[in-house]
Amino acid sequence: MLFRSQGVTHSISESIDVMQRSHQAAVAQLRDEIRVLHEEVDRARNAEWTNATTGFWNRRKLDTRIAELIATDRPFCLMLVRVRNLPQIAAQHPKALVNVCIKSLLQRFRGIAGTEALTGHWDESSFARSEEHTSEPPVTSLSRMPSSA
């Protein structure tokens, strides 16, 4: 009789081990699914705030950041760059070429402004940089950007 109870105990122990492994696998799968959902939410959130063509921030994101800085009474700098002839360029050249040029301009603007700045589209022919004021001196190297006189 003792032998039989040891077999039952062994069988129960195996069942518990199987259930624990199954539970661990289910938890791991749920963690993976939650991670994927978080990534999808982040992508959707970024899509809401970015320009689909260039991947830079859109006016809505810039406005939200500016409102946040004003509401919390934090000093900031807003720089606007307007490309006066951008609508004419867009009318004369293929859209893909114009988009590459805009993206290149924004990359240069962000490179000059620094990574802490929020850089993006202000409107059809203007681009903005918003940065919270710190104790660091303001950017003075804007001469690197060619001007059209």
Side-chain angles (χ1 to χ4, degrees):
M1 196 74 160
L2 182 62
F3 180 75
R4 188 171 179 171
S5 73
Q6 285 178 343
V8 170
T9 304
H10 181 68
S11 176
I12 291 173
S13 178
E14 282 182 10
S15 295
I16 290 172
D17 288 344
V18 168
M19 287 189 308
Q20 285 178 336
R21 284 192 301 271
S22 175
H23 171 74
Q24 289 170 348
V27 168
Q29 182 179 356
L30 287 172
R31 283 186 180 140
D32 286 345
E33 290 175 13
I34 290 169
R35 181 187 47 78
V36 168
L37 288 172
H38 279 289
E39 289 171 359
E40 288 176 10
V41 167
D42 288 345
R43 274 193 296 276
R45 193 174 291 142
N46 282 340
E48 178 183 346
W49 298 109
T50 58
N51 177 285
T53 304
T54 63
F56 281 83
W57 299 116
N58 61 23
R59 173 71 182 264
R60 185 175 176 189
K61 174 66 174 180
L62 292 165
D63 284 344
T64 301
R65 178 66 176 148
I66 292 166
E68 176 186 300
L69 291 168
I70 290 171
T72 56
D73 201 28
R74 296 190 323 238
F76 67 96
C77 172
L78 178 66
M79 180 186 299
L80 294 174
V81 173
R82 182 169 180 260
V83 181
R84 286 179 271 170
N85 59 345
L86 187 59
Q88 294 84 3
I89 292 171
Q92 295 174 0
H93 298 284
K95 186 174 182 167
L97 177 63
V98 173
N99 290 339
V100 167
C101 291
I102 290 171
K103 190 171 184 175
S104 176
L105 172 72
L106 284 165
Q107 287 170 338
R108 291 191 70 196
F109 191 34
R110 181 175 56 192
I112 291 169
T115 56
E116 294 81 29
L118 212 61
T119 304
H121 297 260
W122 188 255
D123 61 28
E124 187 177 293
S125 60
S126 300
F127 308 94
R129 169 183 99 86
S130 169
E131 184 173 8
E132 188 172 354
H133 178 66
T134 63
S135 60
E136 296 294 318
V139 175
T140 58
S141 60
L142 292 179
S143 61
R144 292 192 300 181
M145 291 193 74
S147 66
S148 59

